Amino acid sequence: MAEDGVVDYTLNNPDTLTKYKTAAQISHRVLEAVTAWCTEGANILSICKKGDEMLEAEVGKVYKGKKITKGISHPTTVSPSSFVTPYTPLSTDAEDAGAVLKPKEAVKIQLGAQIDGLGTIVCDTILVGNKGGDVRGREADLMLATYYANELLLRLMLPPGLLASGSEEEKKKAASAKPITQSKITQMLEKVVKSYDCNLIEGTTSWLFERNEIEGKKKIVLAPSENSKGEGVPEIGDVWGVEMGVSLGTGKIKTLDNRPTLHRRTTITYQLKRPSSRQILSEIVKKFGTFPFSLRQLDDERAAKVGVVECVRQNVVRAYEVVADKDSAPVGRLLTTIAITKNGIVRLGAPPALDTSKYKTDKKITDEEILKILEQPTAKSTGAKSKNKKKKKKPAKKASEEDEDEDSSDDD
């Protein structure tokens, strides 16, 4: 708690990290359940509804009696194979409402919870129908490329010299190095994904997270288009939503004809003219604040489809277009909510580590610089817990082992 009763929402306040971790635990539980529901022939709309119901129920179990806001930081979305953006169909759109999951397709599950405006969002990519057996061919290439590119990006998020070892002089020299440029980040990640004959998704963006804000003042844009660029660098005390997007195609994107169903209130104010629009905006503000929501979460879905039109036109609400791979190629996406502390990166909300031994391909990463970075930890060992882990021989696999150790400690 800061002076004069003003709450300190930075990571300097242990309560802040606790709230983030509580939200993350909820996100993880729901992600695990939704993953189990994603079977061949399962209805996407039904899965999304059940996911949101579980998010609401789990959020209701924590911080009871506390005068703080809490809820969903991102509705449950289940995106089919070539879809890039989160997808959540409406029951009143007959064709989309009937969409079902197909065998072996790469499905992206994204969702999140928030406590006191401190939101965690997580996204994982799964292969429908895979029961834990070996995966071969292009599906294996996509999963490995996405996983290792994400692991590399997380390590490149570390401020210079944060985990440096050696003498004090060597540590100071490492800390004085310039942060890696965003163009260099894209170049290094392209080496990873091209090792598996894949490409980065154009414009994949990681954002600084703040209280009640998932698109903060800083961002990292991978494979940017001509009209987009990143801003700022990761620093100690930051919380980020780190996103990775990989395609088996060219990585170029296209906007689909599907109705945008995912929206988010902006900070723009405007006196809406239609009563229905004002009513919808009032419900949005009350239920979701500035976090993303699906129109199906509003009381009257049909009225929402009408009322939101003016809200979007006047920019008081943003509509997220449904975007897919331009070649309709399968896409892999991961999103990890991280905190950057003096001890390194804390993975708050993260997809499960991939068991890379089950993905069989003749392709591999050969760049020595990248392999060396992938072998590095993302946080200092605090000695809180010691686990004997079986070492794996394949390059870059140490990453998941070390991260399990760091996530078991309270790096604050």
Side-chain angles (χ1 to χ4, degrees), residues 31-40 42 47 77-81 101-110 123-131 135 139 142-143 146 330-334 351-352 354 359:
L31 176 64
E32 183 179 8
V34 173
T35 298
W37 299 333
C38 288
T39 56
E40 180 181 345
I47 295 172
T77 59
V78 178
S79 305
S81 181
L101 298 178
K102 301 174 183 176
K104 296 185 179 181
E105 72 172 323
V107 168
K108 283 72 64 180
I109 304 167
Q110 185 162 318
C123 176
D124 191 21
T125 297
I126 65 167
L127 298 175
V128 175
N130 180 36
K131 302 296 185 181
V135 176
E139 289 88 358
L142 177 65
M143 298 294 283
T146 306
V331 166
R333 280 183 60 248
L334 298 174
L354 191 73
Y359 293 82

Side-chain angles (χ1 to χ4, degrees), residues 8-267:
D8 177 9
Y9 284 104
T10 71
L11 295 182
N12 293 326
N13 182 357
D15 289 344
T16 297
L17 197 57
T18 298
K19 289 172 182 175
Y20 271 123
K21 287 183 175 181
T22 302
Q25 289 166 359
I26 292 171
S27 301
H28 289 157
R29 283 196 292 272
V30 180
L31 176 64
E32 183 179 8
V34 173
T35 298
W37 299 333
C38 288
T39 56
E40 180 181 345
N43 180 268
I44 293 177
L45 174 60
S46 296
I47 295 172
C48 292
K49 284 182 175 180
K50 288 169 63 179
D52 287 349
E53 289 169 1
M54 185 173 178
L55 279 170
E56 292 282 8
E58 292 294 319
V59 167
K61 297 175 183 177
V62 300
Y63 287 88
K64 291 183 177 180
K66 304 290 185 180
K67 293 183 178 180
I68 60 173
T69 61
K70 56 182 181 177
I72 296 176
S73 63
H74 193 286
T76 306
T77 59
V78 178
S79 305
S81 181
S82 65
F83 282 43
V84 173
T85 50
Y87 175 66
T88 172
L90 302 181
S91 58
T92 53
D93 290 339
E95 185 175 348
D96 286 354
V100 298
L101 298 178
K102 301 174 183 176
K104 296 185 179 181
E105 72 172 323
V107 168
K108 283 72 64 180
I109 304 167
Q110 185 162 318
L111 53 85
Q114 61 92 2
I115 305 295
D116 202 7
L118 304 172
T120 62
I121 302 175
V122 61
C123 176
D124 191 21
T125 297
I126 65 167
L127 298 175
V128 175
N130 180 36
K131 302 296 185 181
D134 289 350
V135 176
R136 302 178 185 276
R138 295 298 280 151
E139 289 88 358
D141 292 338
L142 177 65
M143 298 294 283
L144 290 170
T146 306
Y147 172 73
Y148 283 128
N150 187 61
E151 289 297 317
L152 179 62
L153 178 56
L154 290 171
R155 285 156 175 77
L156 298 178
M157 297 283 293
L158 286 165
L162 185 60
L163 303 184
S165 58
S167 66
E168 288 302 315
E169 184 177 346
E170 289 172 325
K171 291 179 181 179
K172 287 181 179 179
K173 183 178 179 181
S176 65
K178 290 183 178 180
I180 186 170
T181 65
Q182 297 206 16
S183 59
K184 177 65 173 177
I185 290 175
T186 292
Q187 290 172 13
M188 296 182 74
L189 292 170
E190 283 179 338
K191 288 182 180 180
V192 172
V193 298
K194 288 184 182 296
S195 297
Y196 296 96
D197 197 16
C198 296
N199 284 288
L200 292 174
I201 294 291
E202 176 185 22
T204 298
T205 305
S206 298
W207 288 94
L208 177 72
F209 281 8
E210 298 170 334
R211 184 170 181 253
N212 294 317
E213 180 57 76
I214 62 166
E215 295 182 2
K217 299 179 181 67
K218 297 190 282 189
K219 61 181 178 179
I220 295 173
V221 183
L222 306 178
S225 61
E226 292 182 2
N227 300 321
S228 65
K229 65 176 183 178
E231 299 176 47
V233 296
E235 299 173 287
I236 293 176
D238 284 355
V239 174
W240 284 76
V242 181
E243 182 167 347
M244 178 51 57
V246 177
S247 169
L248 286 180
T250 62
K252 300 298 181 183
I253 58 176
K254 63 181 177 183
T255 301
L256 300 180
D257 294 331
N258 301 63
R259 178 197 301 275
T261 64
L262 192 66
H263 294 75
R264 179 172 176 257
R265 182 168 67 92
T266 70
T267 56

